[in-house]
Amino acid sequence: MNIQAEWMRGGTSKCWVFESEHLDETATSLDELLPKVFGSPDSRQIDGVGGATSTTSKAVILHRCDDSEVDVEFTFAQVGIEEATVDWGSNCGNCSAVVGLYAIEQGWVVPDSDITRVITRNTNTGQIIIQRVDTPGGALPIVPQAQMPGVATAGYKVGLGFRDPAGKTTGSLLPTSNPTDILIAADRAWTVSLIDAGAPVVVLRAEELGLDTADYDSWMAAVDSQLNVLDQVRREAAVRMGLATTPKQAARAIPKLAIAAAPQDDQSDASVMMLSMGRPHPALAITGSVALTLGAQTPGTVLGEITGGEPRATLRLRTPAGVIETWSEVREGSMYVGVDRTARSIATSTIHLPESLGSVAGTDLASASR
Amino acid sequence: MNIQAEWMRGGTSKCWVFESEHLDETATSLDELLPKVFGSPDSRQIDGVGGATSTTSKAVILHRCDDSEVDVEFTFAQVGIEEATVDWGSNCGNCSAVVGLYAIEQGWVVPDSDITRVITRNTNTGQIIIQRVDTPGGALPIVPQAQMPGVATAGYKVGLGFRDPAGKTTGSLLPTSNPTDILIAADRAWTVSLIDAGAPVVVLRAEELGLDTADYDSWMAAVDSQLNVLDQVRREAAVRMGLATTPKQAARAIPKLAIAAAPQDDQSDASVMMLSMGRPHPALAITGSVALTLGAQTPGTVLGEITGGEPRATLRLRTPAGVIETWSEVREGSMYVGVDRTARSIATSTIHLPESLGSVAGTDLASASR
């Protein structure tokens, strides 16, 4: 049995892109089908299309929509490696970036100007994401030329804008109603901003950690030595934001934590470092960058104090991987906040399933074909 | 620019299979082209088809032959990951297993009986390899069912037989002319057999290491604790085989070393454990299994003493991954020695190159397309 699929790089991930109609033809549940396609369970995924790492064992399932609100619905699947499982619980910002490009390459959306907007809905989260694909002169460039931090090679430029991202988890951009709060953690007081946009994020000033704001390269080592303290701050913040009843019960992934400082030069508007799962992130998760962007537009928050706290079209954030620019726009009464990625198709493929599936894979057939 | 390719599992490797004519169309040297296709240099190969490990960054280039001796010529390429390089210095036994299957799937060779033989020549080594592909009733099974140690899923059964493999490196199956030799290493004497077939291999009895021959599972830990001593034996053997002038100058990969013992039960003809690059190999490299097979057919060698030292059609060797069966056959005056693998196609693909290549990728074009 065969399945049509497009293997695409989205941001810093590799994603297998399927049209839902093609998967439907297998008459097999996706929880059973996708692990087989990816070669799971197997730590090496040696007999399937998976890449044996979390950033290369991802699928995106697209459904072309005829309704007036969105062009494409998409569902993200994190496919297990050592287990034959699929995690449908969250979206992936990197893989999201392939959707608009795919829609244009397939002719689902026709480019109409220098930037073509594709309206998408992620079904894992319900989030509407507008995708701004660079189409200079009304067409995709023959040779993609856009660069992004963390990827050495060029791709097509795709901006991902989250529609009205504030308060999706807690109901409010500022869950405590305060631009800053004071937390007690590790036997001292911390001034932080608690922001809910894209994802819940706690932001604190680099100065509180004793970081040298004039020497960004020195942050990594200094932060590494204070990870335990930072996790205590993060857990206190979880309680304040209503995400946990005690610090101990706080989830490992939520809220995220960001450290921020005034820019060290005129290449950026602020220096930031984000922690993900307890470790410094090499760049910025898209969800985290949305929170920082709205924080910077909110007077009195940690980032607002650094950048001015005014609405702005773009925000340049220094990260370990380089300066990342986020953008904001208001369209038809909604606020879109986003960041640019690059994406491109690596291969157009017909995947051959390793074995027959479901009821077809019976013992009788197996012995008959020997 | 696009390239047609087949992504195939061969044994325990994933291999990208190209027809040489398709690569010629790019008018780009393979040393430049293949790293770009695979996404190198990049430790994650995030923008190409490579899998970021040595067993998943492999290419096989096929050329259909019209001459009377062989059906297909193939060249193996180990594509660098962190460096934009290609190593053409050796063949890969696992990737070799895709060649016969590909030739049948493409109609280059028409199945004619229950086992279809495809004659191949590996250009890296000059080795003729006969591939015995199971085609029951004169056709590939609709659903492949063959299993092999180290791969959880089924594939098509492909036997790889090396033609006249003895002495390819040193000129003689027994480079010292002796079935056994005594080496001094680590302050004691070792009785070993020095065999050159497929690859140069030094074989010693498990008893010399104090291994419990009735308890194969105990070998791994016991061998792990004696790796340093075994490497000294291996280096002494290199000198005796004429592969190095001093033990210190011995290469890390050649000769290989194998430990052998009488079988612990009637499931196998001998228990063996092979070292590769200084570590116990989970199964057997094909080249190493060829040396063990001919050793077992040679009176007076370590394996010959265990198995009887007579010509035999099959030999069952216990390895950490399970029992591996090798086979031998004489056809038209040549000896073929081999082992079975499984292979299957994972995906039929059109690969999209990440950028324009060579002289086309000039600055002028880059700026023009923006």
Side-chain angles (χ1 to χ4, degrees), chain A residues 9 14 47-48 153 348-349 352, chain B residues 9 14 47-48 153 348-349:
Chain A
R9 176 179 65 75
K14 282 202 262 199
D47 203 39
T153 38
T348 304
S349 295
H352 310 296
Chain B
R9 176 179 64 75
K14 282 202 263 199
D47 203 39
T153 39
T348 304
S349 295

Side-chain angles (χ1 to χ4, degrees), chain B residues 205-217:
Chain B
R205 289 194 81 104
E207 288 84 348
E208 295 213 48
L209 289 166
L211 304 184
D212 181 355
T213 58
D215 179 16
Y216 185 78
D217 292 342

Side-chain angles (χ1 to χ4, degrees), chain A residues 260-278:
Chain A
Q264 66 178 13
D265 55 36
D266 59 6
Q267 306 293 302
S268 62
D269 302 309
S271 296
V272 300
M273 183 172 290
M274 201 136 199
L275 269 60
S276 173
M277 302 301 278

